[in-house]
């Protein structure tokens, strides 16, 4: 099927569907109102999928923007796909429902379209969102996470094995950090090369009159992966959505796939001694 800016949902086995591109909403710092404005611009541009979380501290702004655009008549609730997330201190089964209800209350919406586990490592409940003991050590917690996995994906981390497995089993991948993140040294390995400065992505961008970011996003959606690039900047929100009016050749797809360096930007090294730290394993 040929996807376009107005028609790019992919079907899910439960009868629902997910738009191939979503807007990431994690932002640090969080200038007041930028999120509401960014979201509203994104809805005007045609974005219908929003990737948020309670821990991002701006879910109420995301909800406000969605509700305003619904009230304006620009979109209907059923056209929006919102993904919320369960934070690490709330993995205990009885805490899940209240966490979801808190998300709905913040958004002031009746339902979310997807609610996923934010990170597959639990922290001790009841001691704040980032609990530490009196010696400054992280307070980890046990939980059953066998069905959980994390998927960062971009040309430097193409996830070939996982992608093949998911293709075979009809599983849709949502690729986070598709532009290589904001390179925030608090949680990103900034010694890794910067994806958007890649020469091949830049030169392919020149060929198609696109940017390296658009080539990176196109690469993922052309493999059938959903992408959730974050931006609250009007020009970049627009830019990231303009990926349906060109396609990469098979040769170019292969060349981009060959850029893979197994570079994981989001390493979360501060939690690498967590017994459930997910990135020691191969996926
Ligand atoms: P900003 O929010 O100021 O636009 P990822 O989605 O991989 O986590 O990357 C998000 C980071 O990339 C943010 O810092 C965002 O900054 C920046 N960004 C988003 N879109 C683009 C783009 N088209 N070109 C360059 N940087 C971008």
């Amino acid at each position: 099927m040929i996807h376009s800016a107005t028609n790019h949902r992919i079907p899910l086995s439960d009868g629902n569907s997910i738009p191939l591109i979503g807007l990431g909403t994690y932002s640090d710092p969080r200038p007041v109102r930028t999120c509401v404005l960014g979201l509203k611009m994104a809805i005007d541009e045609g974005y219908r999928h929003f990737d948020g979380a309670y821990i991002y501290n701006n879910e109420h702004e995301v909800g406000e923007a969605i509700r305003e655009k619904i009230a304006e008549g620009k979109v209907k609730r059923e056209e929006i796909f919102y993904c919320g997330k369960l934070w690490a201190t709330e993995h205990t089964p009885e805490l899940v429902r209240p966490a979801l209800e808190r998300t709905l209350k913040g958004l002031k919406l009746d339902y979310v379209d997807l609610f996923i586990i934010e990170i597959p490592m639990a922290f001790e409940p009841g001691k704040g969102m980032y609990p530490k003991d009196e010696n400054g050590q992280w307070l980890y917690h046990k939980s059953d996470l066998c069905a959980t996995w994390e998927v960062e994906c971009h040309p430097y981390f193409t996830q070939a094995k996982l992608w093949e497995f998911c293709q075979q089993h009809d599983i849709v991948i949502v690729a986070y950090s598709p532009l290589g993140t904001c390179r925030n040294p608090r949680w990103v390995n900034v010694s890794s090369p910067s994806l958007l400065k890649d020469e091949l992505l830049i030169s392919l961008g020149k060929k198609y009159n696109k940017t390296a970011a658009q080539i990176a996003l196109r690469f993922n959606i052309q493999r059938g992966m959903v992408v959730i690039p974050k931006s609250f900047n009007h020009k970049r929100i627009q830019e990231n959505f303009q990926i349906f009016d060109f396609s990469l050749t098979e040769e170019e797809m292969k060349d981009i796939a060959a850029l893979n360096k197994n570079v994981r930007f989001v390493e979360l090294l501060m939690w690498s001694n967590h017994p459930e730290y997910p990135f020691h394993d191969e996926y």
Side-chain angles (χ1 to χ4, degrees), residues 177-182 196 213 228-233 236 239-240:
S177 306
L179 299 178
T181 79
C182 58
L196 299 186
I228 48 169
K230 182 266 163 183
S231 185
F232 290 161
N233 168 283
R236 291 190 284 277
E239 180 180 321
N240 296 344

Side-chain angles (χ1 to χ4, degrees), residues 128-158:
M129 300 309 248
Y130 295 96
K132 285 186 172 175
D133 68 13
E134 52 287 359
N135 302 316
Q137 300 298 310
W138 293 104
L139 287 168
Y140 297 150
H141 196 65
K142 265 199 157 177
S143 69
D144 178 11
L145 290 163
C146 56
T148 310
W149 74 91
E150 286 274 79
V151 184
E152 170 182 335
C153 193
H154 46 70
Y156 283 178
F157 197 55
T158 53

Side-chain angles (χ1 to χ4, degrees), residues 1-10 20 241 244:
M1 145 147 218
I2 310 233
H3 295 113
S4 67
T6 50
N7 185 6
H8 55 269
R9 297 182 81 107
I10 43 178
L20 258 181
F241 202 70
F244 297 103

Side-chain angles (χ1 to χ4, degrees), residues 117-130:
I117 296 170
E118 174 105 36
I119 47 170
M121 298 178 275
F123 301 156
E124 203 168 305
K127 299 202 169 126
M129 300 309 248
Y130 295 96

